[in-house]
Amino acid sequence: SFRDAGVLGLHRFASQVHHTLGLLVLAAALGWLRRRRRRPRPPGDPTVARWRRGLAGGVHGLLALLLLVVPLSGWAALSALADSPQF
């Protein structure tokens, strides 16, 4: 219960750590994408089937997209909840 000052303090501390880590993940993902645009990947292994290379590239792109979308959605939720009395 948040009526207990110790639990409330722990909740606030955990929230701050969580938000800070989310922003660090977002900053790292943006830095990685910036570096990736400046230094493209080397060509793939020609012995690997073309469809497998395409699938691997697609999965890699989806993971990069998630690294951006998840922190941004958390930031949007935090901004929307900032004025609510439950926050």
Side-chain angles (χ1 to χ4, degrees):
S1 170
F2 290 139
R3 293 180 186 149
D4 182 15
V7 174
L8 181 60
L10 180 62
H11 174 73
R12 285 185 179 156
F13 175 73
S15 293
Q16 289 172 350
V17 169
H18 183 90
H19 302 155
T20 302
L21 288 175
L23 287 175
L24 287 173
V25 166
L26 179 61
L30 289 173
W32 176 77
L33 285 173
R34 182 174 179 223
R35 179 182 172 268
R36 179 65 181 244
R37 294 193 94 209
R38 291 182 177 193
R39 294 175 45 191
R41 286 189 304 193
D45 185 4
T47 61
V48 176
R50 186 175 181 157
W51 67 270
R52 286 186 177 187
R53 284 190 308 232
L55 186 62
V59 169
H60 199 135
L62 287 174
L63 289 173
L65 182 66
L66 279 175
L67 280 174
L68 294 174
V69 170
V70 171
L72 288 174
S73 66
W75 190 358
L78 181 63
S79 298
L81 292 175
D83 294 333
S84 71
Q86 290 85 12
F87 184 67

